[in-house]
Amino acid sequence: LARPCGRMMGVGSEPKIPAVVRMGDGTRYAGLVSNFHPGGATLRLKEIDRGGSMVEIHDLDMYEVHAIFFVRELGLMRSHRKADPEDTVLPSGTQVRVLFEWGEAMEGVVDAPIGRRPGFFLKPATRTGNLIAVYVARQAVARVEPLRSTAIA
């Protein structure tokens, strides 16, 4: 997971990373995430409104979190990002399609076997968009399908 830019870092505190969180009941929160640890008990999210002001601080139960979409900038405040030729390089790992239990699908790259971990990271095939990576909780997955028989080096 890429480190957030300097303006998201607090002096002497944990990084605050822009993210959109999807809960098991379908609720979505957009804001700044801190204290994220795969397999941890809670996730702290400072919810941000459309104007960029903090709405509320949530301590979310990680068992209820189904996906965390880590982004470069919150979509509500996003400026257009120019593509960098180096950003089109595929990340290393295995290309997969993840079918979520709520009916959506997403393609990307996983860098380690999924196994029995509580969740895994799915990275977009290119880095030209706003999405950095998605932490996918195991309970959110209906199925994972490999897209290629060989891993990307």
Side-chain angles (χ1 to χ4, degrees):
L1 187 57
R3 296 207 44 95
C5 56
R7 69 180 182 275
M8 296 295 173
M9 301 288 286
V11 177
S13 66
E14 288 194 44
K16 293 173 181 61
I17 304 168
V20 176
V21 178
R22 189 191 194 282
M23 305 299 289
D25 66 1
T27 303
R28 293 175 193 239
Y29 297 102
L32 302 176
V33 168
S34 61
N35 87 320
F36 171 72
H37 303 285
T42 60
L43 173 73
R44 173 151 291 189
L45 179 123
K46 291 184 180 181
E47 187 177 5
I48 306 293
D49 68 13
R50 292 183 184 271
S53 299
M54 188 180 78
V55 175
E56 190 175 347
I57 296 176
H58 302 277
D59 286 316
L60 304 172
D61 181 345
M62 281 300 290
Y63 187 75
E64 302 289 328
V65 171
H66 277 208
I68 306 169
F69 298 85
F70 294 100
V71 295
R72 289 179 176 79
E73 298 179 65
L74 291 173
L76 307 172
M77 300 176 254
R78 175 175 51 204
S79 59
H80 294 286
R81 184 168 183 263
K82 293 182 180 176
D84 181 337
E86 291 184 20
D87 280 349
T88 59
V89 176
L90 287 171
S92 63
T94 303
Q95 288 188 322
V96 297
R97 175 180 296 118
V98 175
L99 302 167
F100 294 98
E101 58 88 24
W102 61 82
E104 292 183 55
M106 184 174 191
E107 294 180 1
V109 176
V110 293
D111 59 0
I114 295 168
R116 297 215 175 266
R117 296 179 287 163
F120 59 93
F121 284 97
L122 179 69
K123 297 176 187 168
T126 64
R127 298 178 303 203
T128 59
N130 193 37
L131 185 64
I132 297 170
V134 181
Y135 177 76
V136 181
R138 186 171 191 73
Q139 66 266 25
V141 177
R143 190 167 64 244
V144 176
E145 302 170 344
L147 293 179
R148 291 191 179 178
S149 58
T150 59
I152 300 169

